[in-house]
Amino acid sequence: MGYEEALNLAWDRLGTNQRQESYAVRFLGDEYTVDISGKSVISLSCNVPAPVHVAILILHYLFAFQKGLPPPTEKWISFPELDGGKGYLPTFKKRALDPIIRKYGNNPNGLLELVERFSAKRVQVGDIGIVLEAFVGIPVLITFWKADEEFSAEANMLFDSHIREIFPTEDIVVMASFIASSV
């Protein structure tokens, strides 16, 4: 299925029987306006339409949010623990983990700048660990291990286990990739 077809399905799934004409949705460091009647998702930081893959993700989140998000379990799971995660693992690694390693491999303390930029919090996991809220109620844990004489730098992204009830695995890849490109 192409992005345009997926976008149309997301709009259909969200439905037109909304109580409001528009919604504000925060995704990472940006706020988006979702206009139901105009079928548009606009980034408020730059006043442009969200890329199609981001718009789909935001619509899927808004649908889950309206139904009522399950509370976080505070149990972290790795990507392979998601439905079909093992099959998507090479794509996840390439799109989400490798960019973080490339960017912070020589300067892992640069990750700490994300704490302020994304209202994240530092946690004691790996050499550097931060939890950021991708969407309201959707925490993501980024862990980083510095390179040493034996091993190269490593990164991982963990998700609260409740994410399985909110997004399909394909959406989680898109979200993780967007996070990696934004950090």
Side-chain angles (χ1 to χ4, degrees):
M1 171 185 326
Y3 277 138
E4 288 301 323
E5 185 178 351
L7 181 62
N8 289 331
L9 286 173
W11 281 114
D12 290 345
R13 184 176 178 209
L14 190 58
T16 55
N17 297 326
Q18 300 296 317
R19 293 173 288 233
Q20 298 172 214
E21 278 296 306
S22 66
Y23 294 86
V25 176
R26 187 178 55 77
F27 179 35
L28 284 180
D30 201 354
E31 189 89 17
Y32 294 85
T33 297
V34 178
D35 177 357
I36 301 298
S37 61
K39 290 189 174 182
S40 67
V41 180
I42 305 292
S43 164
L44 294 180
S45 68
C46 49
N47 202 31
V48 297
V52 174
H53 63 287
V54 173
I56 293 167
L57 187 63
I58 290 170
L59 294 176
H60 288 176
Y61 169 78
L62 185 56
F63 178 77
F65 183 81
Q66 289 179 328
K67 285 182 17 183
L69 293 177
T73 63
E74 299 182 12
K75 178 184 178 238
W76 296 108
I77 59 171
S78 64
F79 188 81
E81 294 176 82
L82 298 169
D83 293 335
K86 289 180 184 170
Y88 276 103
L89 188 57
T91 301
F92 174 75
K93 186 174 178 344
K94 179 180 174 185
R95 292 174 57 186
L97 303 180
D98 291 348
I100 292 171
I101 294 168
R102 275 193 304 275
K103 184 168 184 178
Y104 295 104
N106 293 326
N107 181 23
N109 289 330
L111 275 167
L112 298 176
E113 295 172 12
L114 303 177
V115 170
E116 193 171 308
R117 190 167 143 215
F118 292 114
S119 298
K121 64 180 180 178
R122 185 165 185 192
V123 293
Q124 298 302 313
V125 179
D127 291 322
I128 296 175
I130 60 168
V131 175
L132 55 85
E133 198 170 48
F135 289 96
V136 172
I138 311 288
V140 176
L141 169 61
I142 298 173
T143 59
F144 194 89
W145 293 268
K146 299 174 185 175
D148 62 22
E149 302 81 38
E150 291 183 61
F151 299 103
S152 57
E154 286 292 324
N156 203 355
M157 213 178 274
L158 301 173
F159 308 93
D160 187 283
S161 66
H162 81 312
I163 201 164
R164 295 176 177 139
E165 300 172 50
I166 300 166
F167 290 121
T169 303
E170 295 88 346
D171 280 359
I172 297 169
V173 171
V174 171
M175 181 181 72
S177 174
F178 190 82
I179 290 169
S181 68
S182 300
V183 299

